[in-house]
């Protein structure tokens, strides 16, 4: 076990594209939730003891909507309960949410990586997608974060947003790269059910760029990142050497991790598990001294091998033939020979002596490639 994900489901506003498990902050039992979260950690570690975690990632929702006292209590509890020493400790944050005092608290408890949901530097576009921060908020927050001692900072950008042009995306990308940060994530909008954008799309009121325009934006992304010395190590992620997200690599390497909090997902002892999503249900289960498990599934060997492929192929380095053999005692070319041959023929995959990886063309339609490995 290498990693733990901690979910804070509270937000001061709901973005129009977001389908993560979240609720409006006002009127929520936030203090009780933090107590329950720490209790879940203790219960889980009693069941599955581990010696050391290498990464912790606190996501949401918006973890930094917690007030200073709540943030202190959460971080203090995490450090007291989880066996974590000097690894990667990430907090997600919204620009404008972090006061100097909150930054001080995070730094004091060993948080050493911040991930900001910027999405765009076009203020009009930010309003269109339901964001409440401005580009100035981004610059001010990054200045405060660096002053507080944070160097490992990542920002997210989105493309293929409603009404977004290629020039607009290129402009946001240029502004982001001028910040000279060590890590960037950029991904296209996916319209998910139960979101504001989904409802608008059903009414014919959501005007998105064409698939060709989306592909050109992705091409712009890869070209600009390479120009600025940022290595593409996963379909949507770029970093200076040594600043790759160690936590996300746990997922893409198909390794096990804890997931704590309402709606959080875990992969523990070959079991994929999800927690109850509604905050009240989550709290009720823990009040009874029970783990808040909503659903769980023990993976078969075949399912594990399939996941190894469609998760591992997200990385630019792809899937190691040697590692696959060590994990499953199977030759990947025997297990998935037909799918691999088809994708190689279509120039979407390439196979070397040591690994299988997406070609540049394959990165544009990665999901189609991944589907080929689901039996």
């Amino acid at each position: 076990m290498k990693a733990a994900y901690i979910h804070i489901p509270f937000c001061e506003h709901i973005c129009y594209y977001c389908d993560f498990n979240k609720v409006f902050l006002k009127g929520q039992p936030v203090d009780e939730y933090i107590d329950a979260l720490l209790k879940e950690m203790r219960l889980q570690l009693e069941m599955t003891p581990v010696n050391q975690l290498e990464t912790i990632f606190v996501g949401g929702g918006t973890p930094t909507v917690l007030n200073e006292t709540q943030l202190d209590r959460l971080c203090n509890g995490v450090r007291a309960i989880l066996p974590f020493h000097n690894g990667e400790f990430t907090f997600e944050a919204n620009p404008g949410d972090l006061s100097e005092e909150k930054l001080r608290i995070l730094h004091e408890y060993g948080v050493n990586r911040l991930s900001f949901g910027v999405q765009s530097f076009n203020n009009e576009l930010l309003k269109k997608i339901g964001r409440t921060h401005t580009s100035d908020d981004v610059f001010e927050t990054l200045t405060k974060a660096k002053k507080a001692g944070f160097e490992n900072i990542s920002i997210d950008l989105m493309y293929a947003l409603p009404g977004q042009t290629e020039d607009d995306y290129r402009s946001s990308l240029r502004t982001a790269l001028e910040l000279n940060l060590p890590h960037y994530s950029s991904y296209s909008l996916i319209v998910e059910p139960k979101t504001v954008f989904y409802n608008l799309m059903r009414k014919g009121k959501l005007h998105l760029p064409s698939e060709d325009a989306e592909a050109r934006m992705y091409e712009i992304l890869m070209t600009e990142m390479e120009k600025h010395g940022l290595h593409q190590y996963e379909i949507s992620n770029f970093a200076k050497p040594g600043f790759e997200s160690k936590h996300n690599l746990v997922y893409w390497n198909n390794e096990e991790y804890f997931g704590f909090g309402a709606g959080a997902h875990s992969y523990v002892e070959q079991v994929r598990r999800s927690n109850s999503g509604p905050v009240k249900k989550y709290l009720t289960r823990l009040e009874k001294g029970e783990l808040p498990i909503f659903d769980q599934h023990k993976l078969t060997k075949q399912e594990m091998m399939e996941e190894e492929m469609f998760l591992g192929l997200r990385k630019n380095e792809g899937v190691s033939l040697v590692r696959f053999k060590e994990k499953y005692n199977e030759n990947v070319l025997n297990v998935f020979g037909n799918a691999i041959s088809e994708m190689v023929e279509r120039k979407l995959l390439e196979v070397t002596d040591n690994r299988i990886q997406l070609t540049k063309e394959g990165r544009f339609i990665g999901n189609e490639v991944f589907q080929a490995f689901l039996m």
Side-chain angles (χ1 to χ4, degrees):
M1 188 73 60
K2 287 188 174 183
Y5 172 78
I6 299 168
H7 191 71
I8 306 298
F10 310 114
C11 290
E12 287 189 329
H13 63 278
I14 304 297
C15 301
Y16 300 160
Y17 55 82
C18 183
D19 73 327
F20 295 140
N21 189 53
K22 77 283 180 187
V23 291
F24 281 110
L25 176 68
K26 190 175 181 181
Q28 292 295 329
V30 180
D31 292 313
E32 293 88 338
Y33 182 82
I34 293 170
D35 289 341
L37 197 51
L38 300 178
K39 185 173 184 178
E40 183 192 359
M41 292 177 198
R42 293 189 192 95
L43 288 172
Q44 181 63 68
L45 285 170
E46 285 172 13
M47 286 183 56
T48 318
V50 293
N51 292 325
Q52 184 170 346
L53 297 173
E54 295 177 12
T55 75
I56 296 174
F57 192 105
V58 184
T62 313
T64 48
V65 299
L66 301 181
N67 65 36
E68 284 84 353
T69 303
Q70 292 162 344
L71 201 58
D72 188 283
R73 198 149 56 84
L74 172 66
C75 291
N76 185 52
V78 166
R79 295 311 301 258
I81 297 165
L82 298 182
F84 176 81
H85 304 293
N86 299 309
E88 180 188 88
F89 190 174
T90 304
F91 252 75
E92 281 186 340
N94 277 345
D97 277 346
L98 280 173
S99 64
E100 290 179 3
E101 177 63 10
K102 287 183 183 181
L103 284 162
R104 185 196 65 75
I105 291 166
L106 295 177
H107 197 264
E108 186 178 279
Y109 282 107
V111 174
N112 51 26
R113 185 173 185 272
L114 297 175
S115 179
F116 289 100
V118 172
Q119 316 314 359
S120 175
F121 284 92
N122 179 327
N123 289 336
E124 287 304 311
L125 195 52
L126 287 170
K127 286 180 190 173
K128 273 189 188 179
I129 65 175
R131 303 293 285 177
T132 57
H133 73 266
T134 65
S135 57
D136 284 345
D137 291 329
V138 178
F139 304 135
E140 288 170 17
T141 303
L142 290 177
T143 299
K144 285 194 292 187
K146 289 176 181 177
K147 187 180 176 183
F150 290 95
E151 296 176 0
N152 192 352
I153 296 173
S154 176
I155 64 172
D156 289 355
L157 293 174
M158 295 179 74
Y159 59 92
L161 295 169
Q164 187 179 39
T165 65
E166 293 163 48
D167 284 345
D168 175 78
Y169 178 62
R170 186 183 277 107
S171 175
S172 275
L173 201 53
R174 189 180 301 121
T175 302
L177 289 165
E178 285 170 357
L179 295 168
N180 193 29
L181 299 174
H183 190 281
Y184 296 87
S185 300
S186 191
Y187 45 91
S188 66
L189 171 69
I190 297 173
V191 180
E192 302 282 6
K194 299 180 183 177
T195 62
V196 172
F197 276 172
Y198 183 77
N199 293 332
L200 287 173
M201 185 176 71
R202 290 185 66 189
K203 295 173 184 175
K205 294 181 178 178
L206 189 68
H207 305 296
L208 300 174
S210 67
E211 286 185 7
D212 286 346
E214 180 180 339
R216 287 192 295 271
M217 290 183 203
Y218 187 49
E219 179 74 54
I220 291 166
L221 169 66
M222 290 191 287
T223 301
E224 289 301 313
M225 289 292 172
E226 188 175 349
K227 269 189 205 172
H228 286 78
L230 290 140
H231 168 61
Q232 183 178 18
Y233 68 100
E234 189 267 349
I235 284 179
S236 303
N237 284 271
F238 303 80
K240 293 180 180 179
F243 285 91
E244 297 83 1
S245 169
K246 293 180 176 65
H247 183 85
N248 285 339
L249 282 166
V250 169
Y251 302 148
W252 301 322
N253 287 327
N254 200 23
E255 296 170 329
E256 297 192 338
Y257 55 91
F258 292 123
F260 302 114
H265 291 253
S266 301
Y267 184 31
V268 177
E269 297 178 338
Q270 301 178 1
V271 175
R272 293 267 179 208
R273 191 176 75 208
S274 61
N275 282 351
S276 296
V279 170
K280 187 175 180 182
K281 286 188 178 180
Y282 175 80
L283 295 177
T284 300
R285 294 291 296 274
L286 283 156
E287 283 166 8
K288 296 177 182 175
E290 304 170 356
L291 283 173
I293 299 168
F294 172 70
D295 186 39
Q296 57 186 348
H297 172 65
K298 173 86 170 178
L299 297 186
T300 64
K301 181 180 176 182
Q302 179 64 32
E303 288 170 329
M304 285 189 279
M305 291 190 294
E306 290 172 5
E307 291 192 355
E308 189 79 16
M309 296 305 293
F310 67 72
L311 291 169
L313 285 172
R314 295 190 62 88
K315 300 175 296 176
N316 273 29
E317 68 174 29
V319 173
S320 163
L321 275 63
V322 173
R323 188 168 182 268
F324 191 97
K325 176 75 172 176
E326 288 172 351
K327 284 181 80 171
Y328 305 107
N329 197 29
E330 299 276 3
N331 184 323
V332 67
L333 299 175
N334 293 337
V335 179
F336 296 110
N338 291 339
I340 292 168
S341 295
E342 180 191 343
M343 293 298 123
V344 168
E345 191 174 326
R346 293 176 58 189
K347 296 184 169 49
L348 302 176
L349 279 183
E350 55 190 6
V351 183
T352 65
D353 291 341
N354 300 316
R355 55 186 65 253
I356 303 168
Q357 55 206 141
L358 290 174
T359 62
K360 185 177 179 182
E361 292 82 357
R363 288 178 218 161
F364 284 88
I365 53 171
N367 287 336
E368 186 177 334
V369 179
F370 307 150
Q371 282 289 120
F373 293 93
L374 297 176
M375 301 298 188

